[in-house]
Amino acid sequence: MPWLLRMTLVVASLMLPAILYLSFRYYATGKSTNYSTAVKLLTPVLFLSFYAYPLTAVIDFYLTGTIDLLNYPQPLAYWFWFGLIFVFQLATWVIITDLIKEGTKYFYGDKNIISRWHPHIIIALFVTVFLFTATKTYLHTTQVEAEHHTIPVENLPEPLEGLTIVHITDIQGDEYTGRDKIRNYIRQVNAENPDLIIFTGDLISYGTNFLEMSAQELGKAKAKYGTIATVGDHDYWAGLDNIEPALNNQNIPLLKDENHIIQIDSTSNITITGVTEVYSKQSDPAAVDTLTKSTANSTLKIFASHQVNDQLITKAQQQNYHLMLSGHTHGGQIHVPFMGMNFSASQQETKYVQGLYHEQGIPINVNNGLGFTLAPVRYEAPPNISVITLQKE
């Protein structure tokens, strides 16, 4: 069974308790009102409709022996992944409302009024949470945000004062992230007038069908000192012999465990250490040691990798790097809300999920990127570009 389908079924199974609870709860609410039978069945049927996507895919897979979920009808995919967010958001408020109802019985004398109003509140919650979640999911999926950070650097020379670095990652060109979407992303990058652009990997989602298009759009990014790229998981799986030429055609060097030096003037330079840290090829500590130790004479040192971990942070700290950049997590992509907490798959993998961290004296920026993995939606992790301005400490 393909990974995408297997993971979709895992998510569907995690949704099941909330789906069953809400289906029962809203059917029971309908029975306590004067609504018609059709209306009473409407919400349970709607909850169960979220499973149209995984159920259709499973049947298709077992009938044909193959399945390509990325080419499946997109409305089905959007509906299922929206359902994941919606049912847990709604379940939270229904549970809270039920608890309040039970609690007020002990403090409010007229229990008939409570029983009479409670079903209407439950139904109002459905409409309110549906509209709120749909709007927020749409905005967090489609609207690119620019995060601005000012980072102080000790003894930063005057030629590097005010240097603007735009950090982007995880474009992941595919059926859901096409030319127009990538073009808009790069347009917003250029609007920041960066001095340097660093892309921390995952140009495409899979294969090579969207490779040239994605590389062409990334190549339209404009910066005084150019665009530098590192290797991402999906780049590695697609084959670096495919990825590297596509980027080189756009004058974008792909750093594969190597240093890239930009000479600013006779006394100032920037060294970007690009390390390949992906699932299928973890970095070699000895190679990282060699790379980082060779930067002793660099004025500004930036460590870039697709994934970041404590071992790499320690190596960078030992050699006095000024900044680390990574991507990979999509900012968590979907943070499922339940009972005041947010849950995402990325949180189970790493503590560096999104935003700017400071570890061992080094600022570490984890960019949300643009594209998707598994789900074609985002929630509490909008696509973004990171605009980093350096100033003398």
Side-chain angles (χ1 to χ4, degrees):
M1 181 177 288
W3 180 84
L4 279 177
L5 178 56
R6 191 165 65 249
M7 291 301 101
T8 300
L9 293 179
V10 169
V11 173
S13 66
L14 294 174
M15 289 170 60
L16 188 58
I19 290 280
L20 293 176
Y21 166 71
L22 290 172
S23 297
F24 168 79
R25 193 66 193 78
Y26 273 88
Y27 181 73
T29 298
K31 288 182 66 176
S32 66
T33 65
N34 294 323
Y35 300 139
S36 66
T37 302
V39 173
K40 294 174 183 177
L41 291 173
L42 178 62
T43 47
V45 169
L46 184 142
F47 291 130
L48 294 174
S49 73
F50 292 132
Y51 279 100
Y53 177 62
L55 287 177
T56 304
V58 167
I59 293 170
D60 191 5
F61 174 71
Y62 280 107
L63 287 178
T64 65
T66 184
I67 185 76
D68 183 0
L69 282 180
L70 288 173
N71 281 311
Y72 240 59
Q74 292 187 1
L76 283 179
Y78 284 125
W79 185 242
F80 170 73
W81 291 104
F82 163 74
L84 167 67
I85 304 163
F86 171 63
V87 297
F88 282 103
Q89 185 88 279
L90 181 60
T92 295
W93 288 104
V94 171
I95 291 170
I96 291 172
T97 303
D98 285 346
L99 291 174
I100 292 173
K101 175 191 174 184
E102 294 303 314
T104 54
K105 288 181 180 180
Y106 297 100
F107 303 102
Y108 195 78
D110 193 344
K111 296 180 181 180
N112 290 329
I113 292 179
I114 297 171
S115 298
R116 190 161 60 247
W117 278 100
H118 184 255
H120 300 292
I121 294 172
I122 293 292
I123 291 168
L125 277 175
F126 179 93
V127 176
T128 302
V129 172
F130 186 94
L131 293 175
F132 172 82
T133 306
T135 301
K136 191 170 182 178
T137 301
Y138 173 78
L139 292 175
H140 284 188
T141 300
T142 62
Q143 304 300 304
V144 178
E145 297 182 357
E147 287 187 349
H148 291 80
H149 304 290
T150 299
I151 295 180
V153 177
E154 188 176 0
N155 298 321
L156 186 69
E158 185 177 343
L160 294 176
E161 180 83 31
L163 184 84
T164 299
I165 302 166
V166 166
H167 173 208
I168 56 176
T169 192
D170 295 84
I171 286 176
Q172 295 201 213
D174 59 20
E175 287 83 355
Y176 289 95
T177 306
R179 186 179 294 274
D180 289 344
K181 194 167 186 177
I182 301 173
R183 181 175 295 161
N184 177 63
Y185 188 59
I186 298 304
R187 187 180 296 122
Q188 294 190 52
V189 168
N190 290 338
E192 299 292 336
N193 296 312
D195 295 304
L196 174 65
I197 299 168
I198 299 179
F199 172 68
T200 48
D202 276 358
L203 182 62
I204 40 80
S205 287
Y206 69 99
T208 58
N209 289 345
F210 296 88
L211 175 55
E212 290 301 324
M213 177 275 291
S214 301
Q216 288 168 8
E217 293 305 318
L218 179 59
K220 295 175 183 176
K222 303 300 179 185
K224 182 177 181 180
Y225 300 115
T227 301
I228 311 298
T230 62
V231 177
D233 290 289
H234 295 265
D235 304 324
Y236 193 86
W237 294 327
L240 298 186
D241 54 341
N242 296 316
I243 300 293
E244 189 166 21
L247 289 174
N248 286 342
N249 288 339
Q250 305 301 322
N251 297 313
I252 300 173
L254 179 65
L255 304 187
K256 309 185 303 297
D257 296 328
E258 55 192 297
N259 290 323
H260 181 87
I261 300 174
I262 301 171
Q263 196 68 39
I264 305 301
D265 61 17
S266 59
T267 60
S268 303
N269 61 45
I270 303 170
T271 297
I272 303 161
T273 300
V275 169
T276 301
E277 179 69 29
V278 294
Y279 288 133
S280 299
K281 183 182 182 297
Q282 295 182 334
S283 57
D284 176 18
V288 175
D289 263 342
T290 301
L291 280 174
T292 56
K293 287 179 179 178
S294 68
T295 63
N297 296 321
S298 298
T299 312
L300 179 70
K301 299 193 283 190
I302 301 171
F303 192 109
S305 59
H306 185 63
Q307 298 186 30
V308 67
N309 56 44
D310 291 334
Q311 175 186 298
L312 295 180
I313 294 170
T314 298
K315 297 290 186 185
Q317 185 272 336
Q318 289 171 346
Q319 299 304 322
N320 300 310
Y321 273 74
H322 301 98
L323 177 64
M324 294 188 74
L325 304 175
S326 72
H328 176 61
T329 63
H330 300 192
Q333 189 168 320
I334 296 177
H335 292 257
V336 179
F338 184 64
M339 300 304 290
M341 299 173 286
N342 285 331
F343 301 91
S344 76
S346 297
Q347 292 170 336
Q348 311 309 310
E349 179 182 357
T350 177
K351 62 181 178 180
Y352 307 107
V353 177
Q354 63 171 268
L356 186 64
Y357 300 83
H358 289 83
E359 291 285 344
Q360 302 183 39
I362 302 178
I364 305 162
N365 190 70
V366 182
N367 183 261
N368 289 3
L370 174 68
F372 311 103
T373 293
L374 186 60
V377 300
R378 288 172 174 262
Y379 194 81
E380 298 289 1
N384 71 1
I385 62 175
S386 301
V387 185
I388 300 168
T389 302
L390 304 184
Q391 68 177 18
K392 188 173 182 178
E393 187 174 33

